[in-house]
Amino acid sequence: MRVYVPLTLSGLAAVHRAGEVGPGPLTAYAVTPGLREWYVSDDIEELEYAALNRAASASLRLIAGRPDEIRRRVVVALDVPDGAAVADPGQILDASSLGEVRIAGPVALAKAAAVHVDADDAEKDVAEAAAALGAADQGDDDARFTVDGAEDHELLWFGIQEIPGLIG
């Protein structure tokens, strides 16, 4: 099963040093029954892209909580055994947790399929989105528009062998 773990660049550096994503429990995003029902698609690539975007949104929240963090969203795509990632059955009713899964313990970085990171040119929009997140959560439409601006940036794909260049 493919899962998407939200991180920050400093978090990616820590994962690289440790050789594993952890410790557990980890929050990740995957194609869950709730995500399938919400997205209304049978195309696995579309569903995985939706899970990746949910993880990118969670990465933005991590960034917003860390003022010294570089303003680039990071998501690590991991392959874990079926059953290792568990979704809350109630998430079908809760839009805020769609696709969210828990993994009990750490996962070796060798199980990573890819790392997805914002390009340098996304930093300004990600910084503005991180600053606007609280107001957007309170229903401010202008702030929501700013947060959505970060989502206009596609995360770039990198192999795990490229992590040193991303964090260096």
Side-chain angles (χ1 to χ4, degrees):
M1 166 181 236
R2 174 76 41 96
V3 299
Y4 300 91
V5 179
L7 293 174
T8 61
L9 277 175
S10 64
L12 181 62
V15 162
H16 185 257
R17 281 190 305 275
E20 65 184 17
V21 182
L26 298 171
T27 298
Y29 294 82
V31 178
T32 62
L35 186 72
R36 282 182 188 276
E37 186 173 319
W38 172 74
Y39 201 75
V40 191
S41 175
D42 290 330
D43 184 331
I44 191 64
E45 288 183 16
E46 286 182 16
L47 291 166
E48 286 192 355
Y49 185 71
L52 170 65
N53 284 330
R54 301 292 291 182
S57 293
S59 176
L60 178 65
R61 290 190 177 282
L62 292 173
I63 291 166
R66 298 180 177 121
D68 295 335
E69 188 65 50
I70 295 171
R71 295 341 215 187
R72 291 171 66 194
R73 298 167 299 162
V74 177
V75 175
V76 176
L78 296 171
D79 292 320
V80 299
D82 289 343
V86 179
D88 178 356
Q91 78 173 215
I92 292 174
L93 304 175
D94 182 6
S96 68
S97 65
L98 285 169
E100 192 173 286
V101 294
R102 297 276 185 275
I103 302 167
V107 179
L109 187 56
K111 298 290 184 183
V115 178
H116 302 272
V117 181
D118 274 313
D120 292 341
D121 67 355
E123 283 188 40
K124 178 181 179 288
D125 288 338
V126 171
E128 290 172 357
L133 201 51
D137 287 347
Q138 297 298 316
D140 183 315
D141 289 336
D142 291 334
R144 171 57 36 205
F145 182 78
T146 301
V147 170
D148 291 345
E151 294 172 6
D152 290 341
H153 293 275
E154 295 286 329
L155 297 179
L156 303 177
W157 183 98
F158 297 91
I160 60 169
Q161 71 277 11
E162 296 177 271
I163 292 174
L166 293 169
I167 61 176

